[in-house]
């Protein structure tokens, strides 16, 4: 690669820019083609190697799974094989076969029924010497085996002739497949009958199906007996000769099953198994599987286990190719870096030659450029000074406008906060005049005293708002939350006399103290209660305003809630912005002032609103 770069970028002699650019382009094109071919080759080789390694790993795992499935099947078989042998030696069973006594046979039916339940055998039944079943564990069922003739069954014939037999077949009565394990019952004068245990493999097939890896068992003829895919039952591996097929159908071993070949196609051979393409039930396309065979011990059966190859092969191929790319990229990057260095060296030589030719022209052009730059700089300085003067004037106008806005907000706040005490003073004055007309001087004096207290309150409010406009703060002090709530309600009682029955207050204990000024905290609750009363409107029956408190650690929360129509979403987003209100006569300052008061004492106000109503929670520090 280094020699290739030297041929394309010689470092001796002058080079023209255009010719140098063409040579650089050709070098990069050749290097790109070389890199692409190398990458394709590496990815192909890596994919083949990864596929082979994945095949070995998949085969080992599949072999383990197949052996486990075969062991499970053998365990199920061995569990039932001893049962016919034990029953054949049972004296009561032999006596029942000899005497054919009805009471003895009924007792035998009950005994077989209990054994079938305990051993989980599908059916246990006893066939007499003439081939007719005389007792069965399913004697209660409508399709009981009792009375059926089984002389045609291979497991009966072999048991009579050889002493025992195992035969897989489709039940002639139940129409369910299973393994029939039979044992001859011998008497003093010869065979008395045959004990048969039918074993069905539904739990085994369900366990295989749960693994989502097709598994099936075939006999010597290649007929599928047990399978995790029900549609494959009694299908065959390959074609069965016509004469053998006729004999199987005449024996009724598999009923009327057509014994068609499985939808398999050989796709390749491996050391421990085969690759087959299978058309799975419900699918139109073929899927490749690794097919492993293992004999089932103590039986003439063969267990075949299928494992889909695509997921393992694809994952191994992706991982192998990724690792190959991670190794190849640094090599290609190193080659590109070397090529780039030769390119840069060549460009430097070319640029130096061009720079020498253009140096004199640039000196002349630079002189003219400096003159133009000086003129532009002078103009920019003049424009900058003009802009600075304009900016200062605009800043002064903004400062003045800000002052006017603040002044208007403070004036509006004073009007809003004084409105409640003034309304109460008017109510007390009217009451005092009525008391004087009635000659009730003491009551009138009390009202006048309240008027005096409210005038002091107005003075406190103006002082507070003046301090607020100066960004000042009043020191907080322990204040009774109960007195704050009662004072706020007292100020609102005259204005909202017709709605006081809707007010539900849970008063806190007198010794519950919070940090703040009583007058300012009353302002907050007055604003919240006034908003709540106005929200429920003129509701006479279902209007409700609630005041609740909650103590959590070092904080106290006071919640004012109503069941009004709620706050509109656009108003809720900017609820604490000055002059933001949904009331026609409102100033939009009540909640702003309330938030500032609570914030002065280290608290906060939370709000939640929906169609069912609105809740404001004031969080204050506990004293």
């Amino acid at each position: 690669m280094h020699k290739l770069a030297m041929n394309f970028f010689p470092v001796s002699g002058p080079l023209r820019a255009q010719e140098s650019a063409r040579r650089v382009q050709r070098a990069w094109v050749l290097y790109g083609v070389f890199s692409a071919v190398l990458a394709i080759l590496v990815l192909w080789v890596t994919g083949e190697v990864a596929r082979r390694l994945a095949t070995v790993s998949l085969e080992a795992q599949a072999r383990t799974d197949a052996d486990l499935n075969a062991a499970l099947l053998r365990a199920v078989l061995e569990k039932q094989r001893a049962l016919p042998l034990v029953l054949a030696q049972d004296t009561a069973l032999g006596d029942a076969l000899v005497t054919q006594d009805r009471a003895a046979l009924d007792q035998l039916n009950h005994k077989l029924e209990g054994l079938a339940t305990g051993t989980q055998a599908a059916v246990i039944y006893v066939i007499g010497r003439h081939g007719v079943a005389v007792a069965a564990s399913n004697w209660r069922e409508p399709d009981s085996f009792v009375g059926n003739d089984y002389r045609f069954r291979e497991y009966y014939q072999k048991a009579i002739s050889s002493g025992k037999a195992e035969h897989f077949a489709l039940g002639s009565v139940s129409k369910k497949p299973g393994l029939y394990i039979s044992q001859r019952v011998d008497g003093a004068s010869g065979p008395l009958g045959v004990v048969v245990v039918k074993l069905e493999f539904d739990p085994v097939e369900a366990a295989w199906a749960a693994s989502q890896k097709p598994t099936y068992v075939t006999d010597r003829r290649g007929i599928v007996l047990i399978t995790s895919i029900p549609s494959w039952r009694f299908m065959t591996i390959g074609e069965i000769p016509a004469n053998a097929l006729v004999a199987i159908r005449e024996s009724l071993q598999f009923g009327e099953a057509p014994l068609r070949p499985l939808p398999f196609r050989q796709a390749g051979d491996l050391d421990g198994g085969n690759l087959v393409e299978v058309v799975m039930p419900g699918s139109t396309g073929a899927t490749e599987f690794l097919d492993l065979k293992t004999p089932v011990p103590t039986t003439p059966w063969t267990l075949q286990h299928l494992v889909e190859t695509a997921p393992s092969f694809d994952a191994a191929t992706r991982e192998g190719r990724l690792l190959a790319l991670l190794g190849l990229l640094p090599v290609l990057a190193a080659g590109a870096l070397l090529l780039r260095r030769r390119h840069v060296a060549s460009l430097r030589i070319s640029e130096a030659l061009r720079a020498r030719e253009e140096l004199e022209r640039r000196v002349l052009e630079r002189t003219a450029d400096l003159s133009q730059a000086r003129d532009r700089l002078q103009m920019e300085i003049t424009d900058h000074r003009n802009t600075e003067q304009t900016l200062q004037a605009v800043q002064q106008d903004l400062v003045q406008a800000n002052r006017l806005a603040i002044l208007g907000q403070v004036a509006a706040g004073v009007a809003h906060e004084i409105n409640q005490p003034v309304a109460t003073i008017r109510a007390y004055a009217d009451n005092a005049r009525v008391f004087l007309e009635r000659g009730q001087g003491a009551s009138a004096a009390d009202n006048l005293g309240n008027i005096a207290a409210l005038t002091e309150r107005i003075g406190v409010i103006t002082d507070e708002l003046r301090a607020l406009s100066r960004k000042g703060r009043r020191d907080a002090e322990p204040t009774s939350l109960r007195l704050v709530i009662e004072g706020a309600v007292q100020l609102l009682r005259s204005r909202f006399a017709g709605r006081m029955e809707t007010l539900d207050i849970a008063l806190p204990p007198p010794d519950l103290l919070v940090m703040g000024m009583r007058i300012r905290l009353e302002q907050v609750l007055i604003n919240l209660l006034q908003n709540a009363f106005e929200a429920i409107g003129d509701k006479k029956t279902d209007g409700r305003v609630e005041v609740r408190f909650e103590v959590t650690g070092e904080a106290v929360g006071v919640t004012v809630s109503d069941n009004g129509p709620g706050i509109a979403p656009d108003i809720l987003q900017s609820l604490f912005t000055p002059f933001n209100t949904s009331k026609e006569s409102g100033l939009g300052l009540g909640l702003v002032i309330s938030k500032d008061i609570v914030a002065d004492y280290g608290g906060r106000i939370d709000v939640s609103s929906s169609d069912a109503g609105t809740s404001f929670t004031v969080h204050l520090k506990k004293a």
Side-chain angles (χ1 to χ4, degrees):
M1 188 178 299
H2 182 72
K3 293 181 178 180
L4 177 64
M6 290 291 292
N7 291 334
F8 277 98
F9 303 115
V11 296
S12 62
L15 296 174
R16 291 186 177 183
Q18 187 174 3
E19 182 181 356
S20 177
R22 286 198 299 267
R23 290 185 177 181
V24 169
Q25 185 177 7
R26 285 197 299 269
W28 281 110
V29 169
L30 288 176
Y31 185 73
V33 172
F34 169 77
S35 300
V37 172
L38 180 61
I40 292 173
L41 180 61
V42 169
L43 291 177
W44 180 80
V45 172
T46 304
E48 291 299 315
V49 173
R51 182 182 175 89
R52 293 181 183 179
L53 294 176
T55 301
V56 173
S57 176
L58 187 64
E59 184 177 347
Q61 181 61 43
R63 176 65 63 186
T64 301
D65 294 342
D67 291 341
L68 289 175
N69 290 339
L72 173 63
L73 180 59
R74 181 184 180 185
V76 173
L77 290 172
E78 295 298 335
K79 179 180 177 181
Q80 303 294 342
R81 277 175 170 161
L83 185 57
L85 178 62
V86 173
L87 287 174
Q89 299 174 1
D90 185 73
T91 304
L93 188 148
D95 293 342
L97 286 174
V98 171
T99 64
Q100 295 291 314
D101 181 65
R102 185 71 265 167
L105 291 176
D106 288 342
Q107 185 176 2
L108 181 59
N109 282 330
H110 286 84
K111 182 176 183 178
L112 296 180
E113 183 180 24
L115 284 174
T117 302
T119 60
Q120 296 181 349
V123 185
I124 305 174
Y125 54 103
V126 177
I127 303 174
R129 65 168 60 90
H130 301 298
V132 178
V134 297
S137 61
N138 63 352
W139 63 277
R140 299 177 187 270
E141 303 297 329
D143 55 353
S144 170
F145 289 4
V146 176
N148 291 328
D149 189 349
Y150 292 102
R151 285 177 296 177
F152 71 96
R153 282 298 195 183
E154 184 177 336
Y155 59 82
Y156 172 78
Q157 298 171 2
K158 286 187 176 181
I160 290 294
S161 61
S162 303
K164 62 180 180 180
E166 290 184 1
H167 182 64
F168 194 98
L170 182 69
S172 59
V173 176
S174 65
K175 302 302 179 182
K176 294 182 179 181
L179 177 65
Y180 295 84
I181 306 174
S182 57
Q183 180 71 39
R184 186 177 64 199
V185 181
D186 293 323
S189 59
L192 300 177
V194 175
V195 177
V196 183
V197 175
K198 182 182 180 182
L199 177 59
E200 295 179 357
F201 298 93
D202 293 344
V204 175
E205 292 177 336
W208 292 350
S211 68
Q212 297 183 350
K213 296 177 182 178
T215 303
Y216 58 96
V217 174
T218 59
D219 61 8
R220 293 190 184 95
R221 298 162 296 185
I223 300 175
V224 177
L225 305 178
I226 307 169
T227 173
S228 61
I229 300 179
S231 62
W232 288 1
R233 193 184 317 280
F234 300 151
M235 298 185 77
T236 64
I237 300 176
E239 295 284 349
I240 296 180
N243 54 348
L245 192 61
V246 171
I248 294 173
R249 287 176 175 168
E250 288 178 351
S251 70
L252 299 179
Q253 181 179 0
F254 304 114
E256 298 180 358
L259 302 176
R260 292 192 302 269
L262 287 166
F264 289 10
R265 188 181 71 83
Q266 192 76 14
D269 295 326
L270 299 175
D271 294 338
N274 299 320
L275 290 177
V276 295
E277 292 182 351
V278 181
V279 179
M280 298 296 293
S283 175
T284 57
T287 304
E288 186 180 75
F289 286 88
L290 175 63
D291 184 8
L292 286 182
K293 300 180 182 179
T294 185
V296 180
T298 71
T299 71
W301 299 342
T302 300
L303 184 141
Q304 296 189 224
H305 185 64
L306 301 181
V307 181
E308 188 175 353
T309 60
S312 298
F313 287 177
D314 293 345
T317 301
R318 284 195 302 270
E319 183 178 354
R321 288 176 175 174
L322 178 60
L323 293 175
L325 286 176
L326 292 177
L328 181 61
L329 286 178
V331 176
L332 296 178
L337 180 61
L338 178 60
L339 196 60
R340 174 64 180 170
R341 287 180 178 178
R342 302 305 303 170
H343 171 209
V344 171
S346 177
L347 287 179
R348 286 177 180 174
I349 295 174
S350 179
E351 289 295 333
L353 294 175
R354 287 200 301 270
R356 183 182 302 174
E357 295 174 356
E358 295 181 1
L359 181 57
E360 294 181 359
R361 181 180 58 82
R362 289 187 177 182
V363 170
L364 296 176
E365 291 179 353
R366 188 59 176 168
T367 303
D369 292 341
L370 289 175
S371 298
Q372 295 177 1
R374 181 195 60 193
D375 296 338
R376 287 196 301 270
L377 181 60
Q378 187 65 36
M379 292 177 62
E380 290 176 358
I381 292 173
T382 302
D383 291 342
H384 179 72
R385 289 176 180 174
N386 294 336
T387 302
E388 185 176 0
Q389 293 175 357
T390 303
L391 179 60
Q392 290 177 355
V394 172
Q395 288 177 344
Q396 292 176 358
D397 293 342
L398 290 175
V399 169
Q400 182 64 21
N402 189 43
R403 290 176 180 173
L404 293 176
I406 294 175
L407 180 59
Q409 180 175 346
V410 171
V414 171
H416 182 275
E417 291 302 314
I418 292 178
N419 184 52
Q420 292 296 334
V422 168
T424 306
I425 289 172
R426 174 61 183 271
Y428 280 133
D430 292 341
N431 292 338
R433 182 177 61 187
V434 173
F435 288 143
L436 289 175
E437 291 174 354
R438 295 177 180 178
Q440 298 177 358
S443 299
D446 290 340
N447 279 266
L448 293 175
N450 290 333
I451 291 173
L454 289 173
T455 57
E456 292 179 2
R457 175 179 176 82
I458 292 173
V460 172
I461 291 174
T462 56
D463 290 341
E464 291 292 336
L465 291 175
R466 189 181 301 111
L468 179 64
S469 66
R470 294 195 299 266
K471 301 299 181 181
R473 293 290 184 270
R474 293 290 299 273
D475 293 336
E477 61 185 20
T479 301
S480 172
L481 182 59
R482 185 188 187 103
L483 294 179
V484 171
I485 296 175
E486 291 176 343
V489 173
Q490 179 65 25
L491 290 175
L492 292 172
R493 188 175 300 278
S494 60
R495 179 178 176 186
F496 295 100
R499 303 179 190 174
M500 280 299 166
E501 66 274 7
T502 65
L503 183 60
D504 179 11
I505 303 177
L507 288 174
D511 58 349
L512 180 58
L513 305 180
V514 296
M515 296 302 297
M517 295 291 294
R518 176 180 172 182
I519 298 297
R520 301 191 75 191
L521 294 179
E522 285 181 2
Q523 289 177 248
V524 175
L525 288 182
I526 287 172
N527 283 325
L528 297 181
L529 288 170
Q530 175 179 312
N531 290 341
F533 282 131
E534 292 175 350
I536 63 174
D538 295 329
K539 292 184 178 181
K540 298 299 184 181
T541 57
D542 58 349
R544 187 179 72 257
V545 176
E546 295 182 352
V547 180
R548 297 290 185 267
F549 75 95
E550 182 180 7
V551 180
T552 55
E554 298 299 321
V556 178
V558 181
T559 301
V560 178
S561 58
D562 63 75
N563 63 344
I567 303 174
D570 55 338
I571 298 296
L572 187 62
Q573 292 178 357
S574 55
L575 192 62
F576 294 100
T577 302
F579 306 106
N580 176 46
T581 180
S582 60
K583 306 174 186 176
E584 293 182 359
S585 60
L587 296 175
L589 292 173
L591 290 178
V592 178
I593 295 172
S594 299
K595 179 181 178 182
D596 290 342
I597 291 173
V598 174
D600 285 347
Y601 301 135
R604 72 180 191 279
I605 298 179
D606 295 336
V607 58
S608 62
S609 183
S610 66
D611 294 341
T614 303
S615 293
F616 286 87
T617 302
V618 180
H619 299 275
L620 298 170
K621 292 182 178 178
K622 185 178 178 182

